[in-house]
């Protein structure tokens, strides 16, 4: 997740790649909490406050753009 956290602000991923990473994240949550393959991860994600990767991408991109606006004009991007 740290690589995704900083990389998404700079490089865009395709929708299919984000969907694949979301499925991997859900599988990891299921395995960690001992759920069956058909079990839903919505309750666990809500309790742990884990956003989907698509939502996480939007949040980190917004934070990066907000910081970039506040940088001095001489800063290279």
């Amino acid at each position: 997740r740290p690589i995704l956290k900083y990389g998404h602000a700079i490089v865009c991923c395709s929708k299919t790649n984000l969907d694949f990473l979301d499925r991997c994240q859900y599988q990891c949550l299921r395995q960690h909490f001992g759920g069956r393959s058909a079990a839903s991860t919505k309750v666990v994600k809500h309790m742990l406050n884990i956003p989907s990767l698509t939502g996480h991408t939007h949040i980190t991109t917004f934070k990066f753009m907000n910081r970039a606006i506040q940088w001095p004009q001489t800063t290279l991007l």
Side-chain angles (χ1 to χ4, degrees), residues 11-69:
V11 178
C12 296
C13 278
S14 68
K15 176 74 172 141
T16 55
N17 287 340
L18 284 176
D19 290 342
F20 176 74
L21 291 173
D22 266 336
R23 285 193 305 271
C24 290
Q25 181 177 345
Y26 299 154
Q27 286 177 347
C28 289
L29 282 172
R30 249 187 241 111
Q31 288 176 356
H32 182 71
F33 290 102
R36 296 185 315 269
S37 62
S40 177
T41 57
K42 288 182 182 181
V43 174
V44 175
K45 287 190 316 182
H46 177 72
M47 288 174 31
L48 298 176
N49 195 21
I50 299 175
S52 68
L53 287 176
T54 305
H56 187 71
T57 301
H58 293 306
I59 291 168
T60 55
T61 303
F62 174 75
K63 287 181 180 179
F64 177 78
M65 294 303 292
N66 192 27
R67 281 188 222 121
I69 290 171

